[in-house]
Amino acid sequence: MIQSQDLSFKRFSSEEGQLCTVDVNALRPLPMDYEALPWKVITDEQKKQYCCLLDDINVLLIPVPQTVAEEEEIVNRFLDGMRKLFSSENNWTSLAMLDTSMDYCAQCNSCSDACHLYEMSGEHEMYRPNFRSEIFRRIYKQYVKKEPLAKWRYGDMELNWKTVVRLAELAYRCNLCRRCTQVCPIGIDNGLIARELRKLFSQEFGWNPRELHEKGTRLQLELGSSAGMNASVAKETVEFIDEEFSEMTGYTFKTPWDVPNADILLIHNAGEMLAWPDNIAAFSIIFEAAGLSWTLSSEIAGYDSVNYGAFYDDVQAARVAIRHAEAARKLGVKKIVIGECGHAHKALTVIADRILPKDLSIPRESCFPLLRDIVLGGRLKLDPGRNDFPVTLHDPCNLVRLMGVVKPQRDILHAIAPQFREMAPHGVENYCCGGGSGFAIMTRSNISEWRMNLSGRKKMEQICGAFKDCLGPETRKYVCAPCSNCKGQIREMLRENGLLQKNRMQYGGLVELIVNAMTDVASGFIKWEEE
């Protein structure tokens, strides 16, 4: 394995075996008891079966080619896929920005300064956003566009099967947070390049993370949800949540299902029903108390806003988005409101706008402006004193940086949380939780270790900074993370290091804080680890 300072484009293609590693013992320490996790050893048997050629993580589990013909096929299929990426017929949704990102990079590396992975890996060269993009750019110029003297004008890039396999894995050393894009003075979108690579490998090779594909979009389209619940199970689960939380809160409510012509179709991330039922209950309590006309849908995908296709595959993303729209059209609702799920906001708005036919187009909006109007409009009886503990806000990348939904959640927190304090930086400049682009649901092949050690490390540093005056166990603290994937990542970081108990930190969504402040509800909706 080679050191970061010795990594080059030439060695990326030519080096045998695992290319490099990150020394977890050299990572920047955090101001609390947060341990680095050692990498699990990749066994010889695993190396025989799968291409373990990049670093200590293996997301795609690509089979090792057994013949020269198989090696050549990998290269040829990759080039075929690249040609499709740069064809308006095959990639009209992303071609304009992708094409721009090929031609105008100034190599200033502003993107590196903005990247949490590059920073928290000790500025490892391979995690520089532009490292992956430059490999892709050189291949495009030299082998696809075939520009004259390309290897001398832009730099030579040897293309062999190892180059392709490593580039496939490298597409998954990015959270797709697009913070790098935001700071680029020219607007080069390194996040888009990583995502387009993922799409190429999924649609041309079938190389994709099983958590996103087999257990994600395929399961959702076949059964109804990526959580594995069909409509009957989902309805039974929500009915149980209604009963349980009606008894616990003293506020009786019943979640409506399949109400024709309701004003709102609320679509949750179905994983909340299993992992965070208090989020489901909180939405129902708020909507009930506010007197809204709303419903859930029992149609396929109609009760699960998840769309993992947004992370890796346009075809799967389109199939799921169409099912969401069909569920809304069948009920005749006026609009879709998206619950606390960051990537669902992106999938149901930005992506759906590009692919939905006109007969399926229906207004779609975030839950946060609606919740702000409910809270500030006086439609709930609230006592902010119930939330008189330190609260900080995590900004989900797809919701805030991509869509610009920044102010509504802050208006709410200023109204109901007396000790609300911002992370630094915050808003559109905030950092990814570390579980973005699907990583929050992956736990194998050293992916958990990668999330804890590298991708989530900057977020933990931000959380520590927000609570620097009360880090100890004397004070209860709440990390408001209004996104299901982000909550999963933050949960793992807090649990892995015992911070729920040692530092009395709790995490959850925004609606839980709203209900915790409602005087119509018994006090103590938010539960702390010791309770």
Side-chain angles (χ1 to χ4, degrees), residues 65-249:
Q66 301 300 311
T67 64
V68 173
E70 289 182 4
E71 294 174 1
E72 292 175 349
E73 184 185 9
I74 287 174
V75 174
N76 291 331
R77 289 174 67 182
F78 174 71
L79 289 174
D80 285 344
M82 280 197 73
R83 294 184 189 101
K84 291 176 184 177
L85 287 184
F86 289 94
S87 158
S88 58
E89 179 182 359
N90 290 288
N91 197 22
W92 52 269
T93 57
S94 302
L95 177 57
M97 193 65 240
L98 184 62
D99 208 29
T100 298
S101 297
M102 292 298 100
D103 286 332
Y104 296 106
C105 179
Q107 303 293 328
C108 68
N109 282 305
S110 297
C111 54
S112 301
D113 295 335
C115 178
H116 60 290
L117 291 172
Y118 178 67
E119 178 185 353
M120 302 313 279
S121 66
E123 299 187 348
H124 196 290
E125 185 68 18
M126 195 175 67
Y127 295 123
R128 187 189 296 275
N130 198 35
F131 184 80
R132 171 181 48 250
S133 299
E134 185 60 20
I135 293 171
F136 183 77
R137 192 176 289 115
R138 290 185 179 193
I139 293 172
Y140 170 67
K141 300 284 189 180
Q142 191 172 339
Y143 298 95
V144 176
K145 201 173 182 182
K146 297 183 178 179
E147 291 191 11
L149 306 175
K151 65 171 65 178
W152 289 278
R153 293 170 64 193
Y154 307 108
D156 189 18
M157 190 71 215
E158 181 185 353
L159 182 59
N160 55 44
W161 74 273
K162 292 195 295 291
T163 314
V164 175
V165 166
R166 283 182 173 136
L167 191 56
E169 273 293 327
L170 194 54
Y172 286 89
R173 301 303 182 271
C174 172
N175 285 124
L176 305 185
C177 76
R178 298 174 81 186
R179 198 172 190 269
C180 56
T181 304
Q182 182 173 268
V183 303
C184 178
I186 301 173
I188 300 301
D189 197 337
N190 290 297
L192 174 70
I193 292 172
R195 201 275 178 182
E196 291 298 285
L197 279 167
R198 294 183 180 193
K199 177 172 73 179
L200 185 160
F201 289 113
S202 178
Q203 295 181 187
E204 291 297 316
F205 292 86
W207 295 348
N208 41 52
R210 63 193 184 206
E211 294 87 350
L212 301 183
H213 190 64
E214 287 90 349
K215 297 181 180 179
T217 55
R218 279 183 56 185
L219 185 63
Q220 186 177 15
L221 291 167
E222 293 167 5
L223 200 59
S225 80
S226 59
M229 294 185 292
N230 60 27
S232 176
V233 172
K235 293 176 78 170
E236 289 176 5
T237 302
V238 172
E239 182 179 351
F240 175 78
I241 291 171
D242 290 349
E243 294 173 357
E244 186 80 5
F245 281 87
S246 290
E247 181 179 347
M248 186 189 86
T249 62

Side-chain angles (χ1 to χ4, degrees), residues 435-454:
S437 77
F439 283 106
I441 59 171
M442 301 182 204
T443 57
R444 57 179 170 79
S445 307
N446 275 330
I447 300 174
S448 288
E449 288 77 3
W450 187 78
R451 290 195 288 120
M452 299 301 107
N453 291 336
L454 298 183

Side-chain angles (χ1 to χ4, degrees), residues 451-452 487-497:
R451 290 195 288 120
M452 299 301 107
K487 281 192 298 190
Q489 168 70 6
I490 291 171
R491 172 190 61 192
E492 296 306 312
M493 291 191 293
L494 295 178
R495 281 185 179 175
E496 181 66 37
N497 293 277

Side-chain angles (χ1 to χ4, degrees), residues 271-326:
E272 303 273 348
M273 299 177 188
L274 300 176
W276 298 286
D278 47 339
N279 186 270
I280 304 295
F283 266 104
S284 295
I285 290 170
I286 292 167
F287 281 22
E288 174 80 14
L292 302 185
S293 167
W294 69 290
T295 187
L296 301 187
S297 168
S298 62
E299 290 294 309
I300 289 282
Y303 52 92
D304 186 8
S305 64
V306 164
N307 188 341
Y308 290 141
F311 297 143
Y312 78 100
D313 191 303
D314 280 0
V315 175
Q316 292 298 92
R319 287 168 175 162
V320 175
I322 287 171
R323 287 300 188 104
H324 287 144
E326 286 175 342

Side-chain angles (χ1 to χ4, degrees), residues 15 104 127 137 142 181-182 198 217-218 240 254 331 344 356 370 401 412-413 430 434-435 440 469 487 514 518 525:
E15 197 77 12
Y104 296 106
Y127 295 123
R137 192 176 289 115
Q142 191 172 339
T181 304
Q182 182 173 268
R198 294 183 180 193
T217 55
R218 279 183 56 185
F240 175 78
K254 186 174 179 60
L331 285 173
L356 285 180
L370 175 61
R401 187 158 27 251
I412 294 169
L413 287 171
N430 203 1
D469 60 332
K487 281 192 298 190
I514 296 173
M518 288 178 61
F525 184 81

